[in-house]
Amino acid sequence: VAAPLNAGFLHAPGVFPAVNVWEDGDCLYAEVELPGVDPKEIEIEVVGNVLTLRGEKKHEREEEGRGFHYIERRYGGFNRNIELPASVDSEKVSAAYKNGVLTVTLPKHPESKPKRIAVRNA
């Protein structure tokens, strides 16, 4: 089994939010890391085979007078477009947010589902 292209990395540098996409026979799934983001601030859109995620992670308070050595936590707006490997039924897309992770379930169109072809004796 081949390792994923980005094996060993948390996510590509500068890419936020980090996303995993996988599929089974009926659906595609996108699992999105969005810790600290209010689910009400997340917009999800599917057009064709592109999933778009938009939102904002708001800074909770001012940090005046602090001498930071590192600032790695991200704040502000995000807009991420993810090309999907199959067409989906955008009317049946659902999403759930739990513990900082957004899971988007994208049912495939029937024509995108694998079809088993029976072989008969000639």
Side-chain angles (χ1 to χ4, degrees):
V1 175
L5 223 44
N6 62 346
F9 297 100
L10 292 176
H11 55 81
V15 176
F16 180 82
V19 177
N20 290 341
V21 176
W22 74 95
E23 69 181 303
D24 61 22
D26 296 320
C27 296
L28 295 164
Y29 303 91
E31 191 174 68
V32 187
E33 289 184 352
L34 292 169
V37 176
D38 183 342
K40 296 173 194 153
E41 298 290 329
I42 302 169
E43 294 178 34
I44 302 167
E45 182 177 83
V46 177
V47 177
N49 67 332
V50 177
L51 169 64
T52 300
L53 304 167
R54 283 192 256 333
E56 183 175 1
K57 181 176 181 181
K58 295 185 178 177
H59 197 266
E60 295 173 8
R61 61 183 176 192
E62 290 298 316
E63 304 288 346
E64 289 184 34
R66 290 191 175 183
F68 283 98
H69 293 278
Y70 294 99
I71 298 179
E72 295 181 347
R73 295 180 67 196
R74 297 172 188 229
Y75 298 96
F78 61 88
N79 184 7
R80 183 89 194 265
N81 295 314
I82 299 129
E83 188 170 345
L84 302 170
S87 63
V88 299
D89 185 346
S90 61
E91 297 297 318
K92 296 181 181 176
V93 172
S94 63
Y97 184 86
K98 182 178 179 183
N99 297 330
V101 177
L102 174 71
T103 302
V104 183
T105 302
L106 305 122
K108 295 179 188 177
H109 271 295
E111 65 271 7
S112 295
K113 293 180 184 178
K115 294 176 181 66
R116 186 167 179 97
I117 309 299
V119 178
R120 53 190 177 128
N121 290 330

